[in-house]
């Protein structure tokens, strides 16, 4: 008989003790990821005999009645989104005092692992990945769902279908939206909601957020895929938070000189400090980015080169 997990089985720092135990109708197999609020396991769905990604939430969250109600509501919304680049949510619930979310298990790696191994990506690949993530985010925003934690670790890169689509990208971590944790961006246990390298200024200051905060975070991710480093790097967390709120983003071409200069203007707009100055949607941002990477930031033909200096006397302005 398989042991069932209870809330008392979830103390910090002992995730390996859950392997082989049962949570609702899932048997835990091995840990595949963790964050400040949750641990994710590969598990076996005992009803359908399939692999799933099972996220278990921190025990203190289950003790908050308001959080549980929001968790149930937002998990239903997330499960209702049918999009090829969003990891499907199969089930969300509570058992034995443990909150859990069961999602599709995606074989492959996340973008964090890809960047750590490969470094800066070719512009074509970075553009393909950005387009798929942007499509997923805009679909979520159409359901009034804001991700709030777009980062390489939440972007899964699976093998694609053919040479024209070499990777298939999934955005994950929609089963628990960060809105549930608080209106100010901090959890009840004092953890910041969002990853500091990619967090939007309005999240830091506790202002209201909408889909444009995801535009900012996606801009930080795109910058890193092309430069190999995030746009803001500081010696401590407080300096990093200050940079997101007040410092202009460094030009991308300063980190990767071979890129067309037009990409700097695109990234500058995506990373604007004020949401109203950013792109309205993620797909608008990525469309301009890909055009800039092709040397066609305005969407028209590339301007012809200027004539050589020796030929200028025979040219006249029209």
């Amino acid at each position: 008989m398989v042991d069932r997990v209870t809330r008392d089985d979830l103390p910090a720092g002992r995730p390996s003790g859950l392997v082989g135990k049962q949570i609702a109708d899932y048997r835990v197999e091995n840990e595949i990821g963790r964050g400040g609020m949750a641990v994710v396991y590969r598990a076996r769905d005992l009803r359908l005999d399939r692999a799933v990604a099972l996220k278990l939430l921190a025990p203190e969250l289950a003790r908050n009645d308001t959080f549980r109600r929001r968790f149930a509501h937002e998990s239903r919304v997330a499960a209702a989104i049918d999009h090829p680049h969003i990891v499907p949510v199969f089930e969300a619930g509570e058992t034995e005092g443990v909150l859990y979310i069961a999602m599709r298990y995606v074989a492959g790696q996340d973008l964090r692992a890809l960047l750590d191994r490969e470094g800066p990506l070719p512009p074509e690949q970075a553009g393909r990945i950005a387009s798929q993530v942007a499509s997923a985010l805009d679909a979520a925003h159409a359901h009034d769902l804001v991700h709030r934690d777009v980062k390489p670790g939440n972007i899964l890169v699976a093998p694609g279908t053919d040479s024209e689509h070499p990777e298939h990208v999934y955005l994950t971590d929609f089963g628990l939206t960060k809105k549930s944790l608080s209106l100010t961006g901090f959890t009840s246990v004092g953890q910041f909601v969002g990853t500091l390298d990619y967090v939007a200024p309005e999240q830091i200051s506790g202002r209201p957020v909408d889909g444009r905060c995801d535009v900012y975070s996606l801009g930080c991710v795109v910058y890193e895929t092309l430069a190999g480093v995030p746009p803001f790097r500081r010696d401590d967390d407080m300096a990093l938070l200050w940079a997101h709120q007040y410092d202009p983003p460094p030009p991308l071409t300063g980190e990767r000189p071979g890129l067309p200069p037009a990409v700097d203007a695109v990234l500058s707009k995506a990373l604007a400090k004020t949401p109203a100055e950013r792109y309205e949607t993620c797909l608008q941002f990525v469309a301009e980015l890909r055009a800039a990477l092709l040397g066609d930031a305005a969407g028209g033909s590339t301007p012809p080169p200027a004539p050589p200096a020796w030929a200028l006397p025979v040219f006249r302005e029209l």
Side-chain angles (χ1 to χ4, degrees):
M1 180 177 178
V2 179
D3 291 337
R4 287 187 173 272
V5 173
T6 69
R7 184 165 55 201
D8 294 336
D9 293 318
L10 296 174
R14 289 179 51 196
S16 60
L18 301 185
V19 173
K21 292 192 175 184
Q22 183 174 336
I23 298 170
D25 293 303
Y26 306 94
R27 185 178 65 244
V28 176
E29 294 183 342
N30 59 282
E31 181 181 340
I32 56 177
R34 61 165 47 212
M37 300 173 296
V39 181
V40 182
Y41 297 91
R42 178 186 165 110
R44 177 63 51 179
D45 184 337
L46 300 176
R47 295 163 299 182
L48 300 176
D49 192 27
R50 63 179 174 183
V52 300
L54 186 69
K55 174 183 283 189
L56 306 184
L57 275 61
E60 56 267 26
L61 299 178
R63 301 187 185 103
N64 186 303
D65 290 338
T66 300
F67 177 87
R68 287 206 311 273
R69 288 194 297 270
R70 288 180 176 174
F71 166 80
H73 168 71
E74 294 177 9
S75 295
R76 286 195 297 270
V77 173
I81 303 176
D82 184 13
H83 190 276
H85 298 296
I86 293 179
V87 174
V89 174
F90 296 144
E91 182 183 11
E94 180 179 1
T95 181
E96 306 289 341
V98 178
L99 291 171
Y100 67 91
I101 309 167
M103 301 166 283
R104 174 183 291 171
Y105 175 74
V106 178
Q109 62 185 335
D110 59 34
L111 183 58
R112 173 77 277 139
L114 179 63
L115 292 173
D116 288 345
R117 189 182 73 245
E118 303 288 342
L121 302 180
E124 298 81 4
Q125 183 180 17
R128 289 194 305 267
I129 291 173
S131 293
Q132 295 177 61
V133 176
S135 177
L137 286 169
D138 283 354
H141 299 161
H143 287 77
D144 295 323
L145 207 57
V146 181
H147 194 286
R148 301 188 185 214
D149 195 16
V150 179
K151 61 183 180 181
N154 283 334
I155 298 169
L156 307 180
V157 184
T161 54
D162 51 52
S163 59
E164 294 185 0
H165 306 87
E167 61 274 309
H168 188 97
V169 175
Y170 294 92
L171 183 63
T172 189
D173 206 22
F174 270 112
L176 171 64
T177 62
K178 305 335 180 248
K179 179 181 176 182
S180 295
L181 295 169
S182 79
L183 297 177
T184 63
F186 289 85
T187 71
S188 59
V189 293
Q191 294 167 318
F192 190 82
V193 178
T195 304
L196 297 189
D197 283 331
Y198 317 97
V199 65
E202 60 269 29
Q203 290 177 268
I204 298 169
S205 61
R207 287 173 285 156
V209 302
D210 57 24
R212 291 170 296 184
C213 99
D214 288 340
V215 172
Y216 183 94
S217 298
L218 179 60
C220 292
V221 171
V222 168
Y223 188 107
E224 185 172 359
T225 63
L226 290 167
V229 292
F232 298 106
R233 288 162 287 158
R234 299 295 186 270
D235 293 333
D236 58 68
D237 290 348
M238 292 304 296
L240 181 55
L241 293 173
W242 177 274
H244 278 296
Q245 293 188 89
Y246 303 111
D247 293 348
L252 180 60
T253 53
E255 297 287 346
R256 192 165 177 179
L259 294 176
V263 301
D264 289 335
V266 175
L267 266 298
S268 179
K269 183 173 181 178
L271 298 177
K273 305 304 180 185
T274 304
E277 297 177 353
R278 297 178 204 145
Y279 294 99
E280 283 292 321
T281 69
C282 294
L283 282 173
Q284 287 177 0
F285 159 45
V286 172
E288 290 207 14
L289 171 74
R290 299 189 77 176
L293 288 171
L294 291 172
D296 182 18
S301 58
T302 303
W310 56 264
L312 287 177
V314 300
F315 283 83
R316 63 183 179 87
E317 295 204 17
L318 299 178

